[in-house]
Amino acid sequence: MSVPAFTVVIPARLASTRLPNKPLADIGGHPMIVRVAERARASSAQRTVVATDAPEVAAACAAHGVEAVLTRADHPSGTDRLAEVAARLGLPDDAIVVNVQGDEPLIEPTLIDEVALHLASHPDCAMATAAHPLAEAADVFNPNVVKVVCDQAGRALYFSRAPIPWARDAWAGVPAAPAASAQVALPAMPVLRHVGIYAYRAGFLRRFPTLAISPVELVEALEQLRAMWHGERIGVMVTAAAPAPGVDTPADLERVRALWAEGMAQDGP
């Protein structure tokens, strides 16, 4: 099956407690949001649009020839922001929209294509996302690393910040949050880390903001659980390796800047 037609929408907000003005952070001479859009444009997307509530971000996009849409400032989540953009673009219900996070300047264009294709090839799912096996126990027990468990058809059963699945026998007596240095054996089956990229059908995306926020979504602080709470299926594409790092903190930004410079040097003469 070939990659279907799809639109990439990149949500970007200036407000960030750990890294203020994150979308405008410089990476190799361009704002980070522009670098993300460049990666999205290198995919098979028919259209790439930045969704932002900040005129400064929209202006930075315009200065570099990137399409941007100014949205309302009161959206509770990035998915709600995407829903406004999908409606304003007039996308038909069966159109595929891929949500690429605005802090992923090193994202592989092929990953974007693959998530869109995964949704297209799973008509029973309203959404698709990605995951990869974890290799370190410290990541399994890290609440900032979201895990997912799937059924035999590759559909998500649950997402959690807790270690799932819990290896009852292998982890007997292990505390729920051991120190990062704890020597804990991984279970026989892979523990999958959720990768924060989503593909949606536009019809569901527009319906998402009308769904009541679920109790489990509030407890875990994971908005994808709202869809599952209301009976929607999420297809999970499992990749062999972890994607390139995103940017959440100043340390992340310096690491990505170094990786960007290294990549540019390798691609140069």
Side-chain angles (χ1 to χ4, degrees):
M1 185 176 183
S2 59
V3 178
F6 67 93
T7 298
V8 167
V9 181
I10 307 169
R13 297 175 63 245
L14 276 183
S16 173
T17 55
R18 291 184 288 182
L19 186 58
N21 298 323
K22 182 164 65 171
L24 301 180
D26 181 86
I27 296 178
H30 286 183
M32 177 161 58
I33 189 62
V34 172
R35 292 302 188 195
V36 178
E38 289 171 348
R39 300 297 282 176
R41 284 174 164 179
S43 74
S44 300
Q46 291 185 313
R47 188 175 185 181
T48 297
V49 181
V50 170
T52 182
D53 59 359
E56 301 94 323
V57 173
C61 289
H64 292 86
V66 174
E67 182 179 4
V69 173
L70 273 173
T71 67
R72 289 168 24 208
D74 60 348
H75 287 302
S77 73
T79 307
D80 294 280
R81 193 175 309 282
L82 262 72
E84 178 186 346
V85 173
R88 290 173 60 178
L89 295 180
L91 299 176
D93 285 351
D94 61 350
I96 292 177
V97 178
V98 177
N99 176 353
V100 174
Q101 301 297 321
D103 55 7
E104 299 281 351
L106 302 180
I107 190 169
E108 288 293 338
T110 53
L111 177 62
I112 301 172
D113 288 348
E114 289 167 353
V115 172
L117 177 58
H118 197 79
L119 181 59
S121 60
H122 290 77
D124 61 322
C125 295
M127 298 171 55
T129 189
H132 70 87
L134 286 169
E136 302 293 335
D139 290 329
V140 174
F141 287 88
N142 183 347
N144 295 317
V145 176
V146 178
K147 278 70 68 174
V148 59
V149 172
C150 302
D151 66 14
Q152 65 175 350
R155 297 175 301 227
L157 288 171
Y158 191 63
F159 295 85
S160 183
R161 298 181 183 279
I164 59 170
W166 180 265
R168 186 196 66 174
D169 297 330
W171 296 343
V174 175
S181 59
Q183 297 299 311
V184 179
L186 293 177
M189 70 176 292
V191 178
L192 298 177
R193 175 205 168 209
H194 175 230
V195 178
I197 182 173
Y198 298 97
Y200 313 83
R201 302 187 196 283
F204 169 73
L205 186 55
R206 282 192 289 268
R207 188 163 62 85
F208 181 86
T210 70
L211 300 176
I213 295 175
S214 68
V216 70
E217 171 189 0
L218 291 174
V219 169
E220 293 268 15
L222 298 172
E223 65 189 79
Q224 66 268 35
L225 291 173
R226 188 189 316 179
M228 297 183 66
W229 176 267
H230 290 279
E232 300 291 350
R233 290 174 170 173
I234 301 177
V236 181
M237 183 195 71
V238 179
T239 65
V247 177
D248 287 322
T249 67
D252 292 339
L253 178 59
E254 291 310 311
R255 177 170 60 160
V256 166
R257 281 172 170 164
L259 289 170
W260 182 274
E262 179 184 330
M264 292 301 98
Q266 291 176 352
D267 292 341

